[in-house]
C-alpha cells in the first residue's frame, strides 16, 4: 500500500471534517489554506496572522474562511480547541506557541525548523497518526533529501552525507531568512537521526537568479563499494514513494564516481497559489497536510460514535 493509498482511510463522509487553524500568512500559510480547501477531511476554521494587509489573509477571506490579525491569541480565544493547528511562523515563535497550546487537546504541526517536536517524514516514519501532539516537518530541504538519504543508508554503508538545497530568493520569506541557522541545525539533525550517519552537513542557498531558480536539492554521499546500478535502483524506489503525496518530486541526476554518490532532486510545486519553482514550500506543506489528514482518520471513529474528541 502506498503512502497516498494508506491516508485515504480517512473519516467517513458522514463525519464532519476536523477543524484546523493556520498561524502565519506568508507564502507557506497561503498555500496551506489552498491545500486545506482541497481536502475532504479538513475544515479551515481560522487563519491568523499579524499583518492586516497580508496576502495570505486576503486569500483566506476570498475562500470564505475566518481570519484574524491577533496571531496565536486568536487561536487561544476560540470557543473550543482546534483539532489541528499548523504553525507557519518561525522557529522562535513556535516554542512559545507550543507552550501555550500544549495544555489543549490539539495536534500542533510545525512548519518551522524549531527542532521541538516529533520529526515526521512520511515515507520514513509511516502514515499512522503521530504519537506526540507536536509534530516537526523539519525543513523543506529535509523533506526533499531525507527519504533518499534514509534509503541509501538502509541499503549501503554510508560514511558521509551532505545536502545542499537551493531556493529562489523571491520565495524565501522573512521567517526563512531569520531561521537560517535553525534550518541548518535541524536538517542536519534529521539526516543523522534517520540514517544513523554521524557525519552530516546541510547547506541552504538562497538564489537571486532571474528567472527564479526552481527548488533543487543535491545530496552528496560517501559510500564505499556502491555501484551505479544499485544506487539508482534504491534512489528510484525512494523517490516513487515521495511522489505519492508530492507529485512534483523528481530525480534529475544520479551518479557514482568511485565512492562518491551524487543525487540531484527537483521539486515542482503542485499548488493553486505558488509558482512552479516554489517546490520547497509545496513539499513541506504536502507532508503537513498528509499528517493532518491522518489525524482526521484517527479522530473519525470517536466523532462517529458521538464521543468527545
Amino acid at each position: 500500500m502506498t503512502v497516498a493509498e494508506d491516508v485515504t482511510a480517512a473519516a467517513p463522509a458522514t463525519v464532519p471534517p476536523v477543524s484546523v487553524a493556520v498561524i502565519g500568512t506568508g507564502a507557506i500559510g497561503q498555500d496551506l489554506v489552498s491545500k486545506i480547501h482541497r481536502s475532504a477531511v479538513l475544515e479551515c476554521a481560522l487563519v491568523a496572522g499579524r499583518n492586516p494587509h497580508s496576502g495570505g489573509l486576503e486569500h483566506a477571506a476570498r475562500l470564505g474562511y475566518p481570519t484574524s490579525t491577533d496571531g496565536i491569541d486568536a487561536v487561544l480565544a476560540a470557543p473550543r480547541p482546534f483539532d489541528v493547528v499548523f504553525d507557519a511562523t518561525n522557529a522562535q515563535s513556535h516554542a512559545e506557541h507550543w507552550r501555550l497550546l500544549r495544555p489543549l487537546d490539539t495536534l500542533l504541526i510545525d512548519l518551522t525548523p524549531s527542532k521541538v517536536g516529533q520529526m515526521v517524514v512520511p515515507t520514513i516514519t509511516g502514515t499512522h497518526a503521530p504519537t506526540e501532539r507536536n509534530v516537526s516537518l523539519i525543513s523543506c530541504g529535509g523533506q526533499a533529501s531525507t527519504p533518499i538519504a534514509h534509503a541509501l543508508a538502509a541499503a549501503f554503508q554510508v560514511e558521509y552525507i551532505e545536502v545542499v538545497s537551493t531556493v529562489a530568493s523571491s520565495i524565501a520569506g522573512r521567517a526563512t531568512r531569520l531561521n537560517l541557522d535553525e534550518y541548518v541545525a535541524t536538517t542536519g539533525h534529521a539526516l543523522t537521526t534517520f540514517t544513523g550517519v554521524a557525519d552530516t552537513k546541510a547547506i541552504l542557498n538562497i538564489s537571486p537568479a532571474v528567472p527564479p531558480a526552481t527548488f533543487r536539492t543535491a545530496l552528496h554521499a560517501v559510500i564505499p563499494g556502491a555501484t551505479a546500478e544499485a544506487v539508482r535502483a534504491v534512489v528510484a524506489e525512494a523517490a516513487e514513494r515521495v511522489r505519492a503525496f508530492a507529485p512534483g518530486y523528481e530525480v534529475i541526476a544520479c551518479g557514482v564516481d568511485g565512492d562518491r554518490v551524487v543525487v540531484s532532486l527537483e521539486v515542482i510545486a503542485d499548488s493553486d497559489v505558488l509558482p512552479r519553482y516554489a517546490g520547497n514550500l509545496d513539499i513541506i506543506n504536502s507532508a503537513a497536510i498528509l499528517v493532518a489528514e491522518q489525524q482526521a482518520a484517527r479522530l473519525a471513529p470517536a466523532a462517529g460514535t458521538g464521543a468527545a474528541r
Side-chain angles (χ1 to χ4, degrees):
M1 182 177 289
T2 68
V3 173
E5 289 170 340
D6 196 10
V7 78
T8 55
T14 56
V15 176
V18 299
S19 66
V20 306
V22 176
I23 314 173
T25 58
I28 289 182
Q30 190 168 339
D31 181 56
L32 275 172
V33 171
S34 284
K35 285 178 166 55
I36 294 166
H37 186 69
R38 288 168 11 192
S39 174
V41 296
L42 304 179
E43 179 180 20
C44 187
L46 178 66
V47 179
R50 292 294 185 186
N51 179 3
H53 306 295
S54 164
L57 287 180
E58 294 173 1
H59 173 66
R62 283 195 299 271
L63 291 176
Y65 297 129
T67 64
S68 173
T69 57
D70 291 335
I72 184 64
D73 292 336
V75 175
L76 297 170
R80 62 175 294 273
F82 297 98
D83 296 309
V84 177
V85 173
F86 296 93
D87 191 345
T89 58
N90 59 69
Q92 290 77 20
S93 295
H94 177 75
E96 176 63 7
H97 294 165
W98 174 230
R99 184 186 71 80
L100 294 169
L101 292 173
R102 190 170 188 169
L104 307 180
D105 188 21
T106 294
L107 176 66
L108 182 57
I109 300 178
D110 181 17
L111 291 105
T112 82
S114 70
K115 203 168 68 172
V116 171
Q118 175 187 356
M119 293 189 297
V120 168
V121 179
T123 61
I124 300 174
T125 55
T127 58
H128 300 295
T131 57
E132 298 182 15
R133 288 189 295 106
N134 188 344
V135 171
S136 168
L137 273 298
I138 305 166
S139 67
C140 57
Q143 287 297 326
S145 62
T146 308
I148 303 297
H150 174 265
L152 289 172
F156 308 102
Q157 186 64 42
V158 180
E159 295 183 352
Y160 174 72
I161 299 174
E162 179 177 303
V163 169
V164 183
S165 294
T166 300
V167 303
S169 178
S170 59
I171 206 68
R174 182 172 181 269
T176 298
R177 296 168 191 268
L178 287 173
N179 292 160
L180 290 178
D181 289 344
E182 290 84 355
Y183 173 100
V184 168
T186 301
T187 305
H189 175 64
L191 287 169
T192 294
T193 299
F194 290 123
T195 66
V197 178
D199 194 2
T200 65
K201 185 176 184 179
I203 299 171
L204 177 64
N205 294 325
I206 299 178
S207 170
V210 178
T214 299
F215 173 62
R216 289 187 174 179
T217 293
L219 185 150
H220 304 257
V222 175
I223 309 178
T227 66
E229 182 180 9
V231 167
R232 287 171 185 154
V234 168
V235 169
E237 182 180 359
E240 185 63 27
R241 296 185 67 211
V242 176
R243 276 193 292 275
F245 68 94
Y249 186 88
E250 293 289 344
V251 178
I252 57 175
C254 182
V256 178
D257 183 8
D259 62 356
R260 305 280 173 169
V261 173
V262 179
V263 181
S264 295
L265 307 161
E266 179 179 88
V267 187
I268 301 297
D270 177 26
S271 170
D272 298 331
V273 295
L274 296 176
R276 284 171 55 83
Y277 59 80
N280 53 311
L281 307 186
D282 181 73
I283 191 169
I284 193 169
N285 281 353
S286 295
I289 292 295
L290 186 60
V291 172
E293 289 182 337
Q294 291 157 11
Q295 180 73 348
R298 186 182 74 83
L299 294 175
T305 59
R309 290 204 298 233

